[in-house]
Amino acid sequence: MLISSSLLLVVSAAAAVVAAPTEEVNKRMLRVPFEKVAKQNSGGHRLIKRDPFQTSLYNDDGSQYLINVNIGTPAQTFSVALDTGSADLWVPGTNCPNLICPYSKFDQTKSSTFNSTNQKFGIIYGSGSANGTYVQDTVSVAGATVNNQQFGLVTTTKDILTQQGSLGGGIGSSPSVSQNNATVSDGIFGLGYPQLTASTSTGGSVYNPFVFNLVSQKIISDPVFSIYLNSASATGNSGEIIFGGVDQSKYSGDLAYMPVAGLTSGSSNPLDTIFGNSGNSQIYAYWMVYGQGFTVTDGVSTPNISTPETFPVILDTGTTLTYLPARVAQEIALSVASQNDIALDSSAGVYVIGCDVANSNAQIQIQFSTSDKASSTPITFSVPVSQLVIPLDTTSASTASQCIFGIAPSSTGSLSTSSNLYLVGDSMLRSAYMVFDMGQNRVGLAAANGVGGSVNGNSGSSSSSTSASSTIRPSSVIVASAILAFMF
């Protein structure tokens, strides 16, 4: 995800109140299973391919979820990291040296639909950077084709493709190890709002990322995409992304919706060209919602961490760990493990934790508000501590001798300029089924099946069906607004 240490964001939001659904409406949707690539310290990479698109999870030095993207005519295929914390798609070009771009490269001379531009592309992540130029070409995912899609063609990168233990647009980095020759990420596939693109962030023009072009070009009927990551230990077809619908077999209970927190600006909403004039000056960039507190149950202590005001929380599939302000992260860490079982590695910016903590029955709960103000009936999202103990030297905490905690402080290591950051990464998002609603600027969460988490007290089932539903339920929205500010 794109992070600027000097960016001051003034946040506003529209409160979403979900009406009881009265009917189900059949919708067109694109179902994209992920491709999982498991990396083990002892055995190297392992690719299990059962369907065209599955996920990739690196338990030892970070995780990334990959989907296949076809670019150009004829198509050239790339595996790219799925990232809700940034908005640009980019892949290396043939001019990028092998030393820093060691994998697949896009050859523009072989595409009959390629168009160059004179606009520079540059993006900075917490774990590296990429630079090149913006270009346009045909981009296809899961059979959905967007013509003249703008994306970055990279000529230089730093610590992205060569240190994939800390890949993902995310701001965080985990202990990294050397890479083996295997299927790995060729770039990043951003799913954020148009305002989050590197072009807009550097004063350039706003353009539609791929997923927003699916809406504007009416390729999907409903302006939503939904993500199921599955558990960290899942193999094979472990997750999926659906453009234009939801898979009701992948979650339990009802979807609970929260408004996206917008950035207040003097300019108009860049999404007005897609959804019509919103009548206000809100700009949406990050998939960011409002939090209001944390609770730990069945731990060595039971803290109730709340704030007098809501705080913005970024939902980022491109970051492996979850990053919270140091005081919050420390209080949670010490509530799930004794002081003898957990210690902060300040150089890596992570907590080293006893692997046996994975046997704990503790749950970490985040309370989300349905508006910019703290709610008396918040949405409660609970994640088992067993899902947050990440093994470093094997694939399971039960056999590992070294583990790290899935929650880290955002004010140590490389994140020293982001002390107020609340970012929920893969370590917690795996426990949720997520629906990102571009039309109503909201995010829906439900308990993901097969992982063990819960939303509003509804726990996911122990297993997940492979069947999919092609329906999405309508809801009504009531709009309100407020302002708060935070500094990265």
Side-chain angles (χ1 to χ4, degrees), residues 195-247:
Q195 192 67 29
L196 191 58
T197 60
S199 173
T200 310
S201 301
T202 56
S205 59
V206 178
Y207 79 90
N208 283 338
F210 176 85
V211 70
F212 285 86
N213 269 329
L214 293 182
V215 178
S216 64
Q217 297 183 19
K218 303 184 186 303
I219 296 171
I220 55 176
S221 297
D222 285 288
V224 304
F225 62 92
S226 52
I227 296 174
Y228 173 74
L229 298 180
N230 211 334
S231 70
S233 60
T235 59
N237 298 340
S238 57
E240 69 180 16
I241 179 171
I242 298 177
F243 298 107
V246 299
D247 185 348

Side-chain angles (χ1 to χ4, degrees), residues 14 31 80 84 118 129 154 167 178 206 246 254 283 293 295 298 318 323 326 346 366 368 373 385 452 464:
R31 181 179 180 178
V80 290
T84 59
N118 295 321
S129 61
V154 167
L167 173 72
S178 60
V206 178
V246 299
D254 297 323
I283 288 178
T295 302
D298 295 327
Y323 290 90
S346 57
I366 306 179
F368 293 111
K373 304 294 185 183
V385 167
S464 175

Side-chain angles (χ1 to χ4, degrees), residues 50-396:
R50 297 179 183 173
D51 289 325
F53 301 93
Q54 302 172 336
T55 61
S56 173
L57 177 65
Y58 293 174
N59 284 339
D60 55 356
D61 64 352
S63 67
Q64 52 184 340
Y65 291 81
L66 307 181
I67 61 171
N68 287 339
V69 173
N70 295 318
I71 303 176
T73 307
Q76 300 172 45
T77 303
F78 300 86
S79 295
V80 290
L82 194 75
D83 185 14
T84 59
S86 68
D88 292 281
L89 164 65
W90 66 261
V91 295
T94 53
N95 291 332
C96 192
N98 291 336
L99 185 64
I100 55 176
C101 295
Y103 308 117
S104 299
K105 302 178 186 181
F106 180 69
D107 189 343
Q108 64 193 55
T109 65
K110 295 182 178 180
S111 175
S112 62
T113 48
F114 176 83
N115 293 306
S116 61
T117 75
N118 295 321
Q119 185 178 355
K120 292 182 178 179
F121 169 74
I123 190 167
I124 299 174
Y125 303 99
S127 55
S129 61
N131 293 277
T133 59
Y134 274 115
V135 298
Q136 296 177 348
D137 208 330
T138 300
V139 174
S140 178
V141 180
T145 300
V146 173
N147 297 318
N148 299 315
Q149 175 62 52
Q150 185 163 318
F151 64 95
L153 190 61
V154 167
T155 54
T156 63
T157 68
K158 180 181 179 182
D159 297 338
I160 296 290
L161 303 182
T162 55
Q163 295 188 23
Q164 298 202 12
S166 56
L167 173 72
I171 62 155
S173 60
S174 302
S176 60
V177 297
S178 60
Q179 298 292 303
N180 297 330
N181 293 325
T183 302
V184 289
S185 173
D186 300 317
I188 292 179
F189 186 65
L191 292 167
Y193 281 87
Q195 192 67 29
L196 191 58
T197 60
S199 173
T200 310
S201 301
T202 56
S205 59
V206 178
Y207 79 90
N208 283 338
F210 176 85
V211 70
F212 285 86
N213 269 329
L214 293 182
V215 178
S216 64
Q217 297 183 19
K218 303 184 186 303
I219 296 171
I220 55 176
S221 297
D222 285 288
V224 304
F225 62 92
S226 52
I227 296 174
Y228 173 74
L229 298 180
N230 211 334
S231 70
S233 60
T235 59
N237 298 340
S238 57
E240 69 180 16
I241 179 171
I242 298 177
F243 298 107
V246 299
D247 185 348
Q248 294 177 332
S249 72
K250 294 294 190 296
Y251 65 89
S252 298
D254 297 323
L255 287 162
Y257 284 95
M258 306 165 285
V260 175
L263 314 180
T264 298
S265 166
S267 59
S268 61
N269 191 328
L271 304 185
D272 287 348
T273 57
I274 302 177
F275 303 118
N277 194 308
S278 61
N280 60 45
S281 60
Q282 283 193 112
I283 288 178
Y284 297 98
Y286 296 98
W287 287 107
M288 181 167 62
V289 296
Y290 287 108
Q292 65 180 66
F294 297 84
T295 302
V296 177
T297 61
D298 295 327
V300 297
S301 63
T302 55
N304 190 339
I305 307 166
S306 60
T307 59
E309 295 181 332
T310 55
F311 47 86
V313 180
I314 297 172
L315 307 179
D316 184 6
T317 63
T319 296
T320 303
L321 304 182
T322 293
Y323 290 90
L324 305 175
R327 61 175 182 81
V328 178
Q330 178 177 328
E331 192 165 353
I332 291 175
L334 292 177
S335 69
V336 302
S338 67
Q339 290 188 347
N340 294 330
D341 256 346
I342 195 163
L344 177 65
D345 182 339
S346 57
S347 62
V350 298
Y351 286 107
V352 179
I353 193 169
C355 296
D356 59 346
V357 176
N359 298 321
S360 170
N361 292 321
Q363 299 253 344
I364 297 173
Q365 183 185 93
I366 306 179
Q367 291 98 33
F368 293 111
S369 179
T370 54
S371 75
D372 62 290
K373 304 294 185 183
S375 172
S376 59
T377 56
I379 293 171
T380 58
F381 171 43
S382 297
V383 178
V385 167
S386 59
Q387 295 293 319
L388 296 172
V389 178
I390 301 174
L392 293 181
D393 51 354
T394 69
T395 58
S396 172

Side-chain angles (χ1 to χ4, degrees), residues 4-83:
S4 171
S5 60
S6 61
L7 179 64
L8 176 64
L9 303 182
V10 181
V11 183
S12 178
V17 178
V18 181
T22 57
E23 61 178 349
E24 292 187 353
V25 182
N26 290 326
K27 302 292 183 180
R28 288 175 295 154
M29 71 176 182
L30 299 168
R31 181 179 180 178
V32 189
F34 288 134
E35 181 171 291
K36 183 182 178 72
V37 182
K39 177 170 178 273
Q40 305 173 25
N41 285 355
S42 58
H45 289 283
R46 179 169 57 91
L47 172 64
I48 299 176
K49 184 173 182 180
R50 297 179 183 173
D51 289 325
F53 301 93
Q54 302 172 336
T55 61
S56 173
L57 177 65
Y58 293 174
N59 284 339
D60 55 356
D61 64 352
S63 67
Q64 52 184 340
Y65 291 81
L66 307 181
I67 61 171
N68 287 339
V69 173
N70 295 318
I71 303 176
T73 307
Q76 300 172 45
T77 303
F78 300 86
S79 295
V80 290
L82 194 75
D83 185 14

